[in-house]
Amino acid sequence: MSNTASLDFELPGTSSKEIPARVGAQLRGDFPGLLTVDGEPWHYLDTAASAQKPQAVIDAMARALGEEYATVHRGVYGRSAQMTLGYEAARRRVADFIGANSENEVVFVRGATEAINLVAASWGGTNLGEGDRIVLSMLEHHSNIVPWQMIAERTGAQIDICPLTKSGEIDLGALEALLTSRTKLVALAHVSNVLGSMLDARAAADLAHSVGAKLLLDGCQAAPRMALDMAAIDCDFYAFSGHKLYGPTGIGVLWAREDILDGMPPYQGGGAMIEKVSFEKTTYAPPPQRFEAGTPMITEAIALHAAIDYLAALGVDQTLDHERTLARTLREQLGSINSVTLFGPDESAGIVSFALEGVHPHDLGTILDEENVAIRAGHHCAQPLMKHLGVPATARASFALHSDEDDIAALMRGIERTQRIFG
Ligand code: PMP
């Protein structure tokens, strides 16, 4: 794979070429997790799996769990009313961050996995039938494969797989050829967690809509890296996880257009999602509450708000530029080593997958760990993509807004040492 021309469409958030005020090493001090237990710099290159947290997020979470803590939506006492305001302010902050029309389009879930399962079970359960088609791509994360297989089995729908271009991007020409009037849903990664490939989301939305299908975007890797505007992208569902966006685990977002959410039945039943309950008949609250059964992730939502504030203040579009530059540098350096195979396009959103001849990625990861460098080694929850690439696993380095050339240098030193060890 690799060696392709640069992207021929403009990514959201790439128009600003200003030098970021603070990025890379200047931000390390904001992240207490970037030190080893011995106080040495830790070269964390696994942000695509989960991001380190800035102190502002840790503080917001600690306050919400401490002096501010109370449950939401129920208490008549002041602290609970205050917490409810905080929880709903987080929803408005998310809506604003992604360019939603209204906060009613923002459903808080545990993470992207739950968001996609929600859409598959609720929307898929009512809108898919025998012979309908769902289109996924070859590079999807298991979270954007398995929920569709489960609902396909229940409804009799069929799954079509959109191939990739030689360089590892979702092939929009092939997507167009796959679409028919039976296609009801297209579900694609906005940015690949393995290859870093970036999708022209608007073009994918236009294609899906041309046959009357809905488009779901798995935005797990895009949300922390590019400015999002739901209206401009014109998709129907967007899913992402808070913990990859410098926020805590246990919180994620499903965005969907209000009219679509309105027509969807509940995903789970319980407290908070109802209008009226009797043994004869229960009626449900409007969205987003209809999809938030039970006591919600209160402190996590408030900490996600802090994470978005942190990222937005730095400029999420600048994050993309910064990470793309680092990815380009790493690709150049890795490309100069004969025994390295690079996977994915030359221009990636801060995620670089590679293999070192004769060395299993797990062994590489273990040796790098001794050098205080953390990378990911494995199938990255994308086994069909691994099969397509013809490898059991890859090594993956993924950048964050705090990453810099020192991280790359440490990685390259570790790779040289690994080569010496393996002869
Ligand atoms: N999709 C992509 C592209 C991802 O990278 C991930 C996380 N690795 C997920 C979905 C699932 O996210 P989560 O585990 O936070 O639900």
Side-chain angles (χ1 to χ4, degrees):
M1 314 215 50
S2 182
N3 301 326
T4 41
S6 59
L7 298 162
D8 58 359
F9 62 93
E10 193 179 326
L11 286 158
T14 51
S15 50
S16 162
K17 292 291 170 220
E18 285 166 38
I19 304 296
R22 284 203 321 140
V23 85
Q26 291 162 300
L27 299 179
R28 282 189 76 89
D30 293 356
F31 292 82
L34 290 179
L35 292 176
T36 67
V37 280
D38 304 323
E40 299 283 319
W42 193 39
H43 300 285
Y44 187 71
L45 294 172
D46 198 18
T47 296
S50 201
Q52 293 293 323
K53 317 304 170 201
Q55 190 62 48
V57 169
I58 299 167
D59 290 346
M61 185 102 179
R63 279 196 308 275
L65 280 170
E67 65 265 31
E68 293 170 0
Y69 188 75
T71 191
V72 294
H73 293 156
R74 302 197 220 308
V76 289
Y77 46 92
R79 180 88 76 86
S80 173
Q82 213 41 48
M83 208 59 171
T84 304
L85 290 178
Y87 181 69
E88 291 305 327
R91 196 191 304 280
R92 278 197 303 282
R93 186 69 182 96
V94 170
D96 180 53
F97 181 64
I98 63 173
N101 274 325
S102 137
E103 64 262 36
N104 292 336
E105 299 178 333
V106 174
V107 180
F108 281 131
V109 287
R110 276 195 303 128
T113 301
E114 186 170 56
I116 299 170
N117 275 278
L118 192 165
V119 177
S122 170
W123 182 88
T126 35
N127 289 281
L128 294 172
E130 196 71 40
D132 285 339
R133 323 278 314 184
I134 301 165
V135 179
L136 311 176
S137 88
M138 185 65 88
L139 57 66
E140 298 310 313
H141 188 281
H142 297 165
S143 300
N144 201 25
I145 299 175
V146 185
W148 302 114
Q149 290 174 322
M150 288 161 62
I151 197 67
E153 205 162 293
R154 257 180 52 201
T155 59
Q158 305 283 318
I159 293 176
D160 297 310
I161 304 302
C162 179
L164 308 181
T165 61
K166 272 204 184 113
S167 57
E169 281 147 344
I170 296 171
D171 186 338
L172 291 181
L175 175 64
E176 186 169 13
L178 272 177
L179 297 172
T180 75
S181 58
R182 294 309 309 259
T183 310
K184 291 288 176 305
L185 183 97
V186 178
L188 304 173
H190 196 176
V191 168
S192 159
N193 66 310
V194 179
L195 305 174
S197 346
M198 295 174 272
L199 174 73
D200 183 344
R202 178 57 194 245
D206 290 346
L207 285 175
H209 294 159
S210 71
V211 293
K214 303 274 184 264
L215 176 68
L216 176 141
L217 290 175
D218 172 354
C220 257
Q221 302 297 342
R225 297 190 166 84
M226 48 177 80
L228 296 176
D229 181 349
M230 292 300 113
I233 293 176
D234 198 30
C235 61
D236 301 286
F237 302 101
Y238 202 93
F240 60 94
S241 294
H243 69 100
K244 296 184 197 266
L245 197 119
Y246 307 99
T249 51
I251 183 89
V253 170
L254 168 66
W255 170 88
R257 284 197 284 110
E258 211 168 347
D259 59 313
I260 298 180
L261 283 177
D262 258 338
M264 285 166 50
Y267 172 53
Q268 292 179 330
M273 50 74 73
I274 54 90
E275 194 178 59
K276 207 165 187 331
V277 176
S278 73
F279 284 118
E280 290 70 41
K281 183 173 170 59
T282 290
T283 53
Y284 306 122
Q289 280 73 29
R290 187 187 302 161
F291 303 103
E292 295 182 7
T295 304
M297 299 70 81
I298 308 165
T299 51
E300 289 80 1
I302 287 168
L304 176 62
H305 187 161
I308 292 175
D309 282 349
Y310 179 84
L311 185 55
L314 293 168
V316 66
D317 41 3
Q318 292 176 349
T319 306
L320 178 63
D321 280 352
H322 175 66
E323 294 188 26
R324 283 175 82 179
T325 306
L326 290 175
R328 224 174 278 138
T329 306
L330 176 59
R331 286 185 155 272
E332 273 164 27
Q333 298 195 10
L334 288 172
S336 67
I337 304 175
N338 282 339
S339 51
V340 165
T341 306
L342 281 165
F343 303 103
D346 288 346
E347 277 298 316
S348 72
I351 299 172
V352 178
S353 260
F354 62 98
L356 194 54
E357 203 183 317
V359 184
H360 193 282
H362 283 142
D363 292 332
L364 174 62
T366 306
I367 295 170
L368 288 172
D369 187 37
E370 292 164 9
E371 304 278 323
N372 293 339
V373 177
I375 60 149
R376 184 78 157 191
H379 55 62
H380 317 291
C381 297
Q383 287 180 351
L385 175 59
M386 294 297 116
K387 188 167 173 218
H388 169 74
L389 297 174
V391 292
T394 72
R396 180 188 71 186
S398 56
F399 296 109
L401 40 79
H402 52 67
S403 308
D404 70 352
E405 274 82 7
D406 280 355
D407 298 318
I408 295 181
L411 171 61
M412 296 308 293
R413 277 197 303 277
I415 290 175
E416 277 164 29
R417 194 179 143 226
T418 309
Q419 284 182 306
R420 283 200 299 278
I421 293 170
F422 279 80

